[in-house]
Amino acid sequence: MGDFRRIADLIADDIATGRLRPGQRLPPQRAFARRRGIAPSTAGRVYGELVRRGLVVGEVGRGTFVRAAPAGPAGRALVEPGLADAPVNMELNYPSAPGQAELLAPVLAPLLRPDVLAEALLPAAATGTASAREATAALLATPGWRPDPDRLLFTGNARQAIAAVLASLVRPGGRVGVEQLTYPLVKEIAARLGITLVPLAGDRDGLLPEAVAAAHRTAPLSALYLQPALHNPTSVTTSGPRLLQLAHLVHDVNLPVVEDRIWSFLVGPDGRHGRGERAGERRGPVDPLAAHAPALTHVVDGLSKRVAPGLTVGFLVVPPHRVGAVAEAVRSGGWSAGRFALEAAVRWAGEGVVARLTEAKRVDATRRQRILTQELDGFAVRSDPRAYFAWWELPAPWRADTFTAAAAAHGIAVTPGPAFAVAPGHTPDAVRLGLASAPEPDLRRALRTLAHIAARRSGGRSGR
């Protein structure tokens, strides 16, 4: 066990002396293992130890980069001291409202009574409990849609919900249509299930129905995965007319849909944020695709963004005839929600805690978007005033990997655009900025630093 730490010490010495420079990419773990004559698992431990020490940062789909060195050969600091001391992780994106713990804790107190706790520690079925189904149906309801509680299933988190639905719908070798840029973990889930993802074009109104139809004609799609509400990473929200077109199309070709609504809670009850917008302004539909194609649409949602990532539950609303098949996939995958988490969710929803957190996070997201606008003014940044993330199309000559490495050298972790790209040949020179996790002063400082990095090589700021 100590061997990997000794190797990590050697790499750390190379970083400290400047033999490995900030932004330099380490070899892939398998190549590193071959060079050192060690097992790949040991190489993984070495890299994990370097990450733990804050010396490198792993970028999804791109590799591992040296993040910081105390000083260069001539004694000049290679990292701005303030950010070196306080790294800012803009890959993570878990919103937290002020006073969140104080809101959550009192509601959990009754669960700690021995009689209640004994019940809460029992296993939970995929169908949860009657109270959980009723509370979740109310939580997910929109003005034009309320899920039938009997169609609700529960998983440990939303990612498991996606995996369960795809496992129940698509056989190995099957094709699933997705937006050209999609949630990176969907790529991982598809790879593990032996599913082929088919990238589909979209525009500012969302996924193009003609792209779906063309792909389905080429070779039948087994399912469609999409994020109509605040698409990650671009923040696009599908327009009402486009959503209806998609509903008609999937009905015509009998194409099952996985509708990911994990960020939909940021969309206000009337399609607006609710504060600071022009009267009558709407930014997208409130109701899900499931409201228009209920017999084909599987809705995925969860508590990780609405409440907190540490004690979460994934929600699934499935067509009536699919409840048994999806429940079986949840059971066989070991993806069932914990009973304690379900009981906590019921209480948080019933006491209005989730509603209060939702409103607080809507306000917080808007405030952070203002910081983004101020600090990256003049750059080509695509976002939505309600979103907790932004898509930054980098100015030339920056590439996504080199900019990610340069940001890492300043103690800032961002997600490179290729992590979201489905087609290997289409790697956008862009990065996704997660705005939710860092304290606001750190977020502002990090965005300002990123702006300086981008402008330094591009010769100035690019127009929007």
Side-chain angles (χ1 to χ4, degrees), residues 204 227-238 283 369 372 382-391 432-433 435:
R204 61 181 296 175
Q227 308 169 73
L230 296 178
H231 171 269
N232 179 18
T234 64
S235 301
V236 168
T237 291
T238 304
R283 300 185 191 274
Q369 284 285 340
L372 173 79
R382 296 167 55 190
S383 193
D384 183 298
R386 302 167 296 187
Y388 264 123
F389 44 87
W391 182 248
R432 194 205 69 167
L433 306 174
L435 308 178

Side-chain angles (χ1 to χ4, degrees), residues 181-204:
L181 299 171
T182 196
Y183 180 36
L185 280 176
V186 169
K187 294 162 61 177
E188 293 186 19
I189 291 168
R192 289 196 174 103
L193 294 177
I195 293 170
T196 299
L197 296 183
V198 180
L200 305 172
D203 59 19
R204 61 181 296 175

Side-chain angles (χ1 to χ4, degrees), residues 43-94:
R45 293 191 183 98
V46 172
Y47 279 41
E49 177 66 12
L50 293 172
V51 170
R52 188 189 68 78
R53 298 183 191 183
L55 298 177
V56 302
V57 59
E59 306 299 342
V60 178
R62 301 302 295 170
T64 303
F65 298 86
V66 176
R67 185 163 71 182
R76 180 175 59 85
L78 294 173
V79 181
E80 294 181 11
L83 283 175
D85 294 338
V88 178
N89 192 329
M90 299 177 73
E91 284 188 300
L92 296 178
N93 210 26
Y94 290 109

Side-chain angles (χ1 to χ4, degrees), residues 415-442:
T415 309
F420 299 90
V422 177
H426 296 78
T427 53
D429 289 320
V431 294
R432 194 205 69 167
L433 306 174
L435 308 178
S437 297
E440 286 186 31
D442 293 345

Side-chain angles (χ1 to χ4, degrees), residues 22 59 63 221 252 259 338 409:
E59 306 299 342
L221 298 174
D252 289 343
E259 181 177 11

